[in-house]
Amino acid sequence: HPDEHMSVGRYIATRIPSALPTFDKVPNPIRLLRLLNFQQWMFFLVAFCAWSWDAFDFFTVSLTVEELAETFGKTKTDITWGITLVLMLRSVGSIIFGLAADRWGRKWPFVINNILFIVLELGTGFCTTYESFLGVRALFGIAMGGLYGNAAATALEDCPEEARGIISGMLQQGYAFGYLLATVFSRAFVNTVGHGWRPLFWFGAGPPVLIIIFRLCLPETQAYQERKRIREESPNAAKVFLEEGKVALKKHWLLLVYMVLLMAGFNFMSHGSQDLYPTMLSNQYNFSPDAVTVTQVVANLGAMTGGTVIGYCSSIFGRRFSIIFISIIGAALLYPYTFVGSTKIIAPAFFEQFCVQGAWGVIPIHLMELSPGSFRTFVVGTSYQLGNLVSSASSTIEATIGERFPLPPKGKVKRYEYGKVICIFMGCVYLYVIILTLVGPEYRGRAMDVSADSDMEEAT
């Protein structure tokens, strides 16, 4: 990885040339998917299921804000603290479970994570006070933060090098798939089978049982088993692990800071384009609830398509080029995405989220390749969650600025020009992501087995 040994001047001089498309020859997607053996497919599927249900659990509160506010006698803003607390405490979970997974293996931290999902989703459904609701959701944030890095490591560590791009794109779209599931099941359970919003959360506690059984049937990844074997060759495996941490921090601290800054931009991109968008459709353009739902579903279908397609393309053109290119296209689509006031906005919504999640589709494997080998779960999860923490105020920022652009009210309902704010905000975010991606490194094709890990060699 030549970037690690360059002088500063040489590194800066190579940023543009190294970001140009490489046009590598890559087999077609079907052939790539056939490269995975049965065990590798099972690792991907269990990680995808867990990441999808993680997203489902997160969106259960977003989709029941009104019902929760009525039950607890609070405002909608009060209830959104249940969302904010989850985002704020995710980084705590990523640190705890990330270090546990890197030290003791991917399997049992993953299982404990899902046990917590079961307990906390059931607990949310039985909350009778606003304070208990906030407490349970705060704990849920810790559990939720621990899953992403583990899922990425489980799905991608043993994945054949050529297939990493497309598998990364498919894995990341578990987030959009989880949102779709939450939308569907909220329609099915909320205010339809009795007990108001609670059945949605009780139902959410069920599938993690199956995911736990699925994971218990699988071993540790081969990449982790090799690393564990080397640690246990010494008299004190824990001491070797600590030494690996010292080496990684000493050699890669600047890269770790970069990854957090990059993930802050990516999370601003997703939250900035998604969180206030339904409000814009209903408040500014007077969409009906059904029209908002249809637009959101189509947008998420675009997201799932984009993540898979651009993830695959990153193996052909390069990780950085793919992110920069699709971000430029996404920026060009911002005007129709935010200024078309009829149902024709469905098309821009599809393609804008194609671009947003297309860029995101490269992220799991890009972070895995950048991360120090001994701390992949911790670094991937923590950089993602710290970026989430930084961007957690996206919708609040947009909503606050939007109130400076009032529109004629509809009856007693105040209306604002949210589209203009989203467009300007997202334009700035895209520029930030493009610049940061351009100046950053890329280690595409990096070997993930322990024999190629110079940090481990130095530590031992």
Side-chain angles (χ1 to χ4, degrees):
H1 310 294
D3 289 350
E4 294 182 350
H5 308 291
M6 285 183 184
S7 66
V8 174
R10 177 61 181 163
Y11 180 84
I12 294 172
T14 58
R15 287 311 83 201
I16 293 177
S18 65
L20 296 176
T22 55
F23 299 104
D24 291 345
K25 291 183 178 179
V26 175
N28 67 63
I30 302 300
R31 288 185 61 190
L32 285 178
L33 297 179
R34 291 175 64 184
L35 292 176
L36 276 71
N37 60 35
F38 178 77
Q39 186 179 91
Q40 290 162 349
W41 267 117
M42 293 302 100
F43 281 142
F44 166 77
L45 287 174
V46 76
F48 180 85
C49 290
W51 178 226
S52 298
W53 212 253
D54 185 301
F56 173 94
D57 290 341
F58 175 73
F59 284 113
T60 49
V61 172
S62 303
L63 294 167
T64 55
V65 169
E66 291 187 11
E67 292 81 2
L68 288 163
E70 183 178 348
T71 298
F72 298 127
K74 297 291 183 178
T75 66
K76 295 178 185 176
T77 303
D78 290 332
I79 297 302
T80 58
W81 273 103
I83 301 171
T84 304
L85 283 171
V86 169
L87 295 173
M88 290 174 65
L89 290 169
R90 275 178 168 183
S91 53
V92 176
S94 68
I95 293 170
I96 295 171
F97 285 97
L99 289 173
D102 286 325
R103 172 64 182 91
W104 292 292
R106 319 308 189 201
K107 186 173 185 175
W108 289 106
F110 183 98
V111 170
I112 294 170
N113 245 163
N114 280 276
I115 291 173
L116 289 175
F117 287 166
I118 295 169
V119 173
L120 295 172
E121 280 293 88
L122 284 174
T124 305
F126 285 107
C127 284
T128 55
T129 66
Y130 175 65
E131 291 73 19
S132 63
F133 167 75
L134 289 183
V136 170
R137 297 314 289 181
L139 293 173
F140 182 78
I142 296 175
M144 190 179 195
L147 189 76
Y148 182 79
N150 199 323
T154 300
L156 295 169
E157 264 187 336
D158 289 353
C159 183
E161 179 186 327
E162 289 181 302
R164 287 179 189 170
I166 190 170
I167 293 298
S168 171
M170 291 167 63
L171 174 67
Q172 183 60 38
Q173 298 328 301
Y175 183 84
F177 184 59
Y179 178 81
L180 280 179
L181 291 176
T183 303
V184 171
F185 285 111
S186 66
R187 286 275 183 162
F189 289 114
V190 176
N191 296 324
T192 59
V193 295
H195 304 288
W197 50 270
R198 299 178 189 275
L200 178 63
F201 292 86
W202 295 334
F203 170 76
V209 176
L210 302 177
I211 295 172
I212 289 170
I213 295 171
F214 189 0
R215 186 64 185 94
L216 288 173
C217 294
L218 299 173
E220 291 287 357
T221 62
Q222 292 182 12
Y224 174 78
Q225 290 185 51
E226 292 174 7
R227 195 170 296 276
K228 179 183 177 183
R229 178 181 55 78
I230 290 178
R231 286 174 184 160
E232 291 180 347
E233 287 177 353
S234 70
N236 191 335
K239 185 177 180 180
V240 174
F241 180 72
L242 290 174
E243 194 63 35
E244 291 173 67
K246 293 177 184 177
V247 171
L249 193 60
K250 179 182 176 181
K251 292 176 63 175
H252 308 298
W253 67 269
L254 187 60
L255 179 61
L256 303 181
V257 172
Y258 167 78
M259 291 169 70
V260 172
L261 294 175
L262 180 67
M263 293 317 298
F266 267 85
N267 280 288
F268 269 120
M269 186 194 298
S270 57
H271 288 295
S273 66
Q274 295 169 357
D275 290 1
L276 203 64
Y277 198 67
T279 304
M280 183 200 78
L281 295 176
S282 59
N283 182 274
Q284 182 176 344
Y285 295 126
N286 299 313
F287 275 38
S288 68
D290 285 342
V292 172
T293 299
V294 170
T295 305
Q296 288 291 87
V297 168
V298 171
N300 276 281
L301 291 174
M304 294 170 69
T305 306
T308 304
V309 171
I310 304 304
Y312 170 71
C313 289
S314 73
S315 294
I316 301 173
F317 304 112
R319 314 290 189 219
R320 291 162 62 227
F321 175 82
S322 298
I323 292 171
I324 292 170
F325 176 81
I326 204 63
S327 295
I328 292 171
I329 300 300
L333 290 171
L334 283 174
Y335 183 82
Y337 182 64
T338 54
F339 281 87
V340 173
S342 67
T343 53
K344 292 180 181 178
I345 202 172
I346 287 178
F350 177 92
F351 288 107
E352 181 64 35
Q353 288 305 312
F354 180 100
C355 295
V356 170
Q357 292 301 319
W360 263 105
V362 185
I363 284 301
I365 189 57
H366 190 42
L367 294 184
M368 285 285 290
E369 290 170 336
L370 291 178
S371 298
S374 299
F375 292 89
R376 286 197 187 105
T377 305
F378 168 74
V379 170
V380 171
T382 303
S383 60
Y384 171 78
Q385 301 301 357
L386 286 176
N388 231 328
L389 176 62
V390 173
S391 68
S392 61
S394 296
S395 57
T396 305
I397 294 170
E398 289 179 334
T400 303
I401 298 175
E403 292 175 0
R404 299 183 182 181
F405 301 95
L407 292 169
K410 183 182 179 183
K412 295 182 179 181
V413 179
K414 295 180 179 180
R415 298 173 61 239
Y416 301 100
E417 199 172 358
Y418 292 118
K420 178 186 291 186
V421 178
I422 294 174
C423 187
I424 296 171
F425 183 84
M426 283 298 297
C428 297
V429 170
Y430 272 125
L431 180 62
Y432 173 87
V433 168
I434 289 168
I435 292 173
L436 214 63
T437 303
L438 182 64
V439 302
E442 176 179 341
Y443 300 152
R444 179 161 55 110
R446 182 178 197 164
M448 294 191 187
D449 55 279
V450 71
S451 61
D453 188 353
S454 60
D455 291 359
M456 173 63 89
E457 183 179 355
E458 183 175 337
T460 53

